[in-house]
Amino acid sequence: MAGQLHRRDVVAAMLAPRTPDTLVISGLGSSSWDVTAVGDDDRNFCLIGGMGLTAIIGLGLAQTQPEKKVLVITGDGDMLMGMGSLATIANVAPRNLSICVLDNELFGETGGQPTHTAGVTDLTAIARGAGIPTASTVRTEDELKAVIDSVHNGSGPQFHTIKILHEELDSPKPPLDGGYTKDRFRIALLGEAKAVGGFKG
């Protein structure tokens, strides 16, 4: 059953306690528009078209930056395509990684077709079954507040399905130039000297 929470309110509340050491990876389409609506930030890496990759990119970042918090914000369609990443995340068990899935039970970018979560598929149960120790489904404001505290102050890996309304909203775009986005994220993460002069890859 779809939720009653408003996606933009959820993401704004999720990012409100953000510290300078919190890095955000957002999934394609609406999740990236939601993150950008809060404010464009060099520490955001928005995956404009990389469906299914958001959680596993978050894992790689969490492994290479263990002193920083990594917050993945994505949608149910993206997470369904990348479910295998949950098993890897559970086995690596990065303490600094949290995944929040905005679940409106629809493929919002391709016309609003129902996803499997509109049926019997339970992403939280899948995350638990993969071995992620902290996993929950959020439907109320009070549950959301508890998750926000856990994400920013607790240990990972964490996985939270946040049931939201389906809404037709504007689409504030982050920079759409992939090379520019990559470079500014590296500079925000590593500093200009390392990102430009000393970072290979």
Side-chain angles (χ1 to χ4, degrees):
M1 182 179 69
Q4 297 300 309
L5 297 172
H6 295 277
R7 61 184 310 136
R8 292 277 162 88
D9 293 343
V10 166
V11 174
M14 186 70 64
L15 295 181
R18 182 181 192 175
T19 69
D21 286 335
T22 302
L23 308 172
V24 174
I25 311 296
S26 59
L28 84 164
S30 297
S31 302
S32 284
W33 317 154
D34 297 335
V35 168
T36 304
V38 175
D40 188 33
D41 192 302
D42 291 357
R43 299 164 298 157
N44 297 343
F45 194 78
C46 299
L47 298 179
I48 304 304
M51 190 169 182
L53 301 175
T54 318
I56 204 69
I57 288 174
L59 171 62
L61 188 61
Q63 287 183 279
T64 58
Q65 300 294 322
E67 301 306 314
K68 297 186 183 295
K69 288 273 189 181
V70 178
L71 172 57
V72 168
I73 298 176
T74 193
D76 47 314
D78 175 83
M79 195 66 254
L80 285 163
M81 185 172 278
M83 282 195 300
S85 64
L86 297 178
T88 303
I89 289 165
N91 279 275
V92 175
R95 295 174 59 83
N96 59 330
L97 177 63
S98 297
I99 300 163
C100 293
V101 177
L102 305 173
D103 184 6
N104 61 5
E105 303 180 357
L106 296 170
F107 288 109
E109 309 315 309
T110 59
Q113 304 91 339
T115 66
H116 296 313
T117 64
V120 298
T121 302
D122 183 336
L123 288 172
T124 300
I126 291 166
R128 286 197 189 106
I132 294 177
T134 301
S136 72
T137 298
V138 172
R139 295 186 182 276
T140 69
E141 295 283 353
D142 286 343
E143 290 170 343
L144 178 62
K145 289 176 184 176
V147 161
I148 291 170
D149 180 67
S150 180
V151 164
H152 289 282
N153 300 308
S155 293
Q158 300 185 34
F159 183 96
H160 305 287
T161 303
I162 303 172
K163 291 288 189 175
I164 58 169
L165 286 162
H166 173 61
E167 300 174 278
E168 297 291 340
L169 300 169
D170 61 334
S171 304
K173 302 292 194 299
L176 300 180
D177 183 313
Y180 169 76
T181 301
K182 173 198 69 175
D183 289 342
R184 80 166 190 168
F185 187 76
R186 283 180 172 176
I187 290 168
L189 181 59
L190 303 171
E192 189 161 5
K194 285 185 178 179
V196 175
F199 188 83
K200 304 296 184 183

